[in-house]
Amino acid sequence: MTIDHILAGLYVFSLAAFLGYQIISKVPHLLHTPLMAFTNAISGISLVASLLIAGRDSKSLLIPILGAIA
């Protein structure tokens, strides 16, 4: 990994953090709970998908089962 990759990753991370803070700070309090529930649902879907993809090439049946349970 070169310094260019690290700097690009830090740039993207800082831009995403700043943009996320700006967006979330402008959300009215009435909409905060549904927005967080939707965000948590998306995180859960991403986790299940990543478990299933990680276990796709595995010879073990344990990882797809854990992904399905999650």
Side-chain angles (χ1 to χ4, degrees), residues 21-43:
Y21 177 76
Q22 291 297 320
I23 290 172
I24 293 299
S25 67
K26 294 180 180 9
V27 172
H29 291 287
L30 183 64
L31 295 177
H32 189 266
T33 302
L35 178 65
M36 290 307 295
F38 182 70
T39 304
N40 288 339
I42 291 175
S43 297

Side-chain angles (χ1 to χ4, degrees), residues 2 31 36 41 44 58 62 68-69:
T2 65
L31 295 177
M36 290 307 295
S58 175
L62 180 64
I69 291 171

Side-chain angles (χ1 to χ4, degrees), residues 44-45 47-55 61-70:
I45 291 169
L47 176 67
V48 170
S50 64
L51 281 172
L52 290 175
I53 289 172
L61 193 59
L62 180 64
I63 295 177
I65 291 172
L66 288 176
I69 291 171

Side-chain angles (χ1 to χ4, degrees), residues 1 4 6-7 12 19-21 26-27 49-50 52 59 66-67 70:
M1 185 176 275
D4 292 335
I6 294 171
L7 288 176
V12 170
L19 186 62
Y21 177 76
K26 294 180 180 9
V27 172
S50 64
L52 290 175
K59 303 247 186 279
L66 288 176

